[in-house]
Amino acid sequence: MEWNAELYRDAHSFVWNHGQSLLSVLDPQSGEDILDVGCGTGELTREIADHGATVTGVDKSAAMIAAAKDRFPGVVFRVEDATALPFEGEFDAVFSNAALHWVREPEAAARSIARALRPGGRFVAECGGFGNVAALERAFSVALRENAGSSFRSPWYFPKLGEYASLLERVGFEVSAASLFDRPTLLAGHNGLRDWYRMFLSDWFDVLDVDTIERVIRTAEKLCEDRYRDGSWTADYRRLRVVARRR
Ligand code: BEZ
């Protein structure tokens, strides 16, 4: 997917605002080497650096990395694919917030992350878990079929807890904590839902004409109207959070 880094940074600050609690689980220490996988526009990467850690932020999107470098010139950012990280036993910790559900080869990513860690190094991650944004996906799927005659195929990987913990164990991690929990997420403002669709399902909008896009979005909004209250939308986010160590 081609990312619009500006729209992401300006309208989706909830992504890294919600990442604060994961940062406290990471508990970065001064002098540690930390890798942030799927760093986006770099806000949490910079916070890790503020703790005195030496941090590298990586993202597959060149647009995101360009925006991160521009905003935080003192932090190291690189374009890298999570499934083929070029690191061998270099990091004390790998952190990842709201990124791994985009990776369609989760085992390759987990192996690559394990390889990047020193033995005993920790992996602290959160991504969409099983059932994440199911209502938003369902509404979009119906709206797409009705207005464009197209079938929706989810671009995301939202694993069950046991499935992901087993995957991590298979590639050499010991999992010390895993939880799957609802985290209803406010999409602020009247345009919150349409901005979310435009941001995260942008591939669809590249292939449809303007009128069809508008009809798809309006139908999806109608189907989600029970999620609209007091001028904002609430998305049905479910998070999968894991803490693991490389054996
Ligand atoms: C998430 O953070 O759960 C998410 C973000 C964008 C699209 C799908 C899921």
Side-chain angles (χ1 to χ4, degrees), residues 98 101-102 127-128 132-133 156 158 183 196 200 237-239:
H101 47 250
W102 289 100
C127 63
N132 192 43
V133 296
W156 303 302
F158 296 140
R183 196 204 64 204
W196 192 92
F200 296 119
Y237 273 41
R238 298 190 87 204
R239 314 319 284 166

Side-chain angles (χ1 to χ4, degrees), residues 175-192:
V175 179
S176 58
S179 53
L180 178 65
F181 55 96
D182 289 330
R183 196 204 64 204
T185 296
L186 201 69
L187 308 177
H190 184 70
N191 289 332

Side-chain angles (χ1 to χ4, degrees), residues 60-119:
K60 195 175 178 186
S61 160
M64 289 289 196
I65 290 297
K69 283 183 171 171
D70 194 44
R71 185 116 185 249
F72 307 116
V75 180
V76 175
F77 293 103
R78 296 170 54 158
V79 177
E80 301 290 354
D81 182 338
T83 64
L85 297 166
F87 308 112
E88 291 272 350
E90 290 171 44
F91 293 98
D92 299 300
V94 173
F95 175 83
S96 181
N97 179 56
L100 291 172
H101 47 250
W102 289 100
V103 181
R104 300 299 306 188
E105 296 165 89
E107 186 154 337
R111 277 187 204 286
S112 183
I113 287 166
R115 210 169 28 245
L117 282 165
R118 301 190 171 114

